[in-house]
Amino acid sequence: VCSSDLKRPAWREAANKACMARKSVQATAYVQQANTIDGPGICGLEEPFKVTALNEATVALNTTSTLNCPMIEAMDEWVRDVVQPIAKARFGQPVAQIDSMGAYSCRPIDNQRGNRLSEHSFGNAVDIGGFRLADGRSTTIVHGWTRGNEQEKAFLREIQAGACNIFTTVLAPGSDPFHYNHIHLDLAMHGQ
């Protein structure tokens, strides 16, 4: 998987160039363009961004996430069109912070040796562990998915279902043993 003669699939660069041309992701105080990440192997991304907040800085991230342009664009859409309306309907207030469990990381799928590279290896994926509301209340996937109150369970399932209209891969508890505590979102081009 890490052989130097392998190349990143062309669709990755094409998707990034199209996103950059749309100018929907702009460098700001909370979305900073970073240096190209090249390797190891085919891991990396041409025009990475270091992201500390989404949706015009209305939703903080608990940690700086390195993502590509299409992923930031999709995350902004998901927060704006899915997460916030559902949070307001279920809790009467918006989400103020998303707790990320990881973005860019050169590693195999599920961190299992022998698997092909994860979309995390290209800044094309993020793992969401929980949410903090404007009043400070929080919900985590590991607790809220099965043991939360009815509003928490409904919120988490509805935002996961809504993610399926934006992202090409959405994995949540019940998908497999590796996603018991988070929702994985990515923009893999399946079949390429």
Side-chain angles (χ1 to χ4, degrees), residues 77-79 81-92 131 139 141 144-145 149-167 170 172-173 183 185:
E77 179 184 349
W78 181 61
V79 167
D81 298 345
V82 177
V83 174
Q84 294 298 40
I86 294 170
K88 288 173 186 168
R90 291 285 172 191
F91 305 118
F131 302 86
T139 184
I141 307 301
W145 194 266
N149 64 41
E150 290 310 308
Q151 292 295 0
E152 282 179 289
K153 287 188 217 177
F155 168 74
L156 295 173
R157 282 167 176 73
E158 289 169 11
I159 62 160
Q160 182 254 343
C164 294
N165 296 322
I166 297 168
F167 299 93
V170 178
I183 296 174
L185 306 170

Side-chain angles (χ1 to χ4, degrees), residues 56-110:
E56 299 180 4
T58 60
V59 179
L61 294 175
N62 65 318
T63 185
T64 301
S65 296
T66 302
L67 295 167
N68 66 18
C69 181
M71 199 61 194
I72 298 165
E73 189 177 60
M75 289 291 293
D76 276 341
E77 179 184 349
W78 181 61
V79 167
R80 180 187 64 242
D81 298 345
V82 177
V83 174
Q84 294 298 40
I86 294 170
K88 288 173 186 168
R90 291 285 172 191
F91 305 118
Q93 60 188 299
V95 165
Q97 178 177 296
I98 293 175
D99 294 335
S100 170
M101 292 176 63
Y104 174 75
S105 175
C106 183
R107 63 175 180 79
I109 291 174
D110 298 328

Side-chain angles (χ1 to χ4, degrees), residues 9-62:
W11 68 263
R12 292 188 186 286
E13 184 178 352
N16 196 65
K17 282 188 186 303
C19 180
M20 295 296 283
R22 286 191 293 274
K23 297 184 188 291
S24 58
V25 175
Q26 299 286 322
T28 64
Y30 55 92
V31 178
Q32 305 256 321
Q33 194 135 24
N35 293 327
T36 297
I37 302 170
D38 193 16
I42 65 169
C43 289
L45 49 163
E46 294 297 316
E47 299 174 280
F49 289 90
K50 301 278 187 183
V51 183
T52 57
L54 296 164
N55 206 33
E56 299 180 4
T58 60
V59 179
L61 294 175
N62 65 318

